[in-house]
Amino acid sequence: MSSILKISVIIPAYNEAETINSCIANVKKNCEENCEIIIVDGSADGSTLSAVDDSGVKLIASPPGRAVQMNYGAQKAEGDILLFLHADTTLPPAAGTLVRKALNAPCATAGAFKLGFDTHQRSLKWIAYIADLRCRIERVPYGDQAIFISRSNFEKLGGFPEIPLMEDVEFFQNIKRQRLEIVILKESITTSARRYLAAGPLCCALRNTFLRLLHFWGVKPLTLKKMYRKKGKRS
């Protein structure tokens, strides 16, 4: 039996048939040995699951909703570490080693990677820079930064709150309230800029900031979800 901690990479997906196999290939390359991949499809037609061409991947159908899908995947996971990855995000080299090392540090509870985009557009580089600065000050990473946490701590925290939006924010705020350590790695993931480019980088950045402020002021997640979907879709 391998002494290396097993990582379960949980990928919540919704209509990601075009990207899912490249995502799987990236995970297998960069998480290396002792890693399992779990795809949790929230679409009614199961189109993402049907597109998977790797028989070694766990395929799960779930009700839609990112938090619901991630919790479903965690329930089926066998790993010591859970890593939650968006289907349009790629991991950096040796990601598995980086995650294991980060969680091996004393008191480390959970963590995430630095944000990066798959484009050299200057405006998105500035958005990534500001997002990283905010994250390192606030210690509240977002879901597109490849969140990771030990399975035991995830279970103690009760998983993600099953709300329509801001489940990642509330999850890490819960960790902070308990004065537990959150690790932000210096290595970047690469996430698709498609939503930013479709709606306009500045517009997306301002919208996300505005929604975060409304969440802070107590606006209900369902209301925030409706506002978010006016500009784009989210599983």
Side-chain angles (χ1 to χ4, degrees), residues 41 93 181 196:
D41 189 0
E181 183 178 351
Y196 279 85

Side-chain angles (χ1 to χ4, degrees), residues 134-141 172 176 181-184:
R134 176 206 62 79
C135 186
R136 294 186 184 280
I137 293 171
E138 190 182 19
R139 315 307 286 181
V140 177
F172 278 100
K176 286 184 66 178
E181 183 178 351
I182 297 167
V183 180
I184 308 299

Side-chain angles (χ1 to χ4, degrees), residues 31 33 46 62 81 91 183 187 212 228 230-231 234:
C31 281
E33 61 179 311
S62 160
I81 296 170
L91 295 169
V183 180
E187 292 82 6
R212 181 69 191 280
Y228 185 98
K230 288 180 181 180
K231 291 294 183 179
R234 181 182 189 270

Side-chain angles (χ1 to χ4, degrees), residues 206-225:
L206 292 175
R207 177 203 61 191
N208 292 343
T209 301
F210 180 60
L211 291 176
R212 181 69 191 280
L213 287 173
L214 291 177
H215 175 260
F216 177 78
W217 290 331
V219 176
K220 294 182 179 180
L222 183 58
T223 302
L224 298 177
K225 176 76 169 183

Side-chain angles (χ1 to χ4, degrees), residues 57-128:
V57 175
K58 286 186 178 180
L59 306 178
I60 300 173
S62 160
R66 187 164 286 151
V68 173
Q69 290 170 240
M70 291 190 293
N71 286 339
Y72 256 60
Q75 291 171 9
K76 301 296 183 181
E78 299 177 359
D80 307 287
I81 296 170
L82 307 179
L83 191 158
F84 299 93
L85 182 70
H86 290 188
D88 61 358
T89 299
T90 58
L91 295 169
T97 300
L98 294 170
V99 167
R100 292 184 182 99
K101 183 178 180 181
L103 291 181
N104 191 47
C107 302
T109 297
F113 288 85
K114 182 179 175 181
L115 179 66
F117 291 107
D118 60 351
T119 176
H120 295 295
Q121 188 168 318
R122 184 172 297 179
S123 60
L124 284 169
K125 284 185 175 294
W126 273 107
I127 288 172

Side-chain angles (χ1 to χ4, degrees), residues 146-175:
I147 292 168
F148 53 85
I149 185 170
S150 70
R151 182 177 177 178
S152 60
N153 280 325
F154 183 81
E155 292 172 350
K156 288 176 184 176
L157 290 163
F160 289 99
E162 295 186 354
I163 54 179
L165 199 69
M166 300 291 176
E167 75 287 334
D168 44 5
V169 172
E170 292 203 9
F171 181 74
F172 278 100
Q173 286 178 338
N174 184 25
I175 294 175

Side-chain angles (χ1 to χ4, degrees), residues 38-58:
I38 303 172
I39 311 295
V40 188
D41 189 0
S43 60
D45 61 3
S47 57
T48 304
L49 299 184
S50 300
V52 175
D53 58 16
D54 189 322
S55 61
V57 175
K58 286 186 178 180

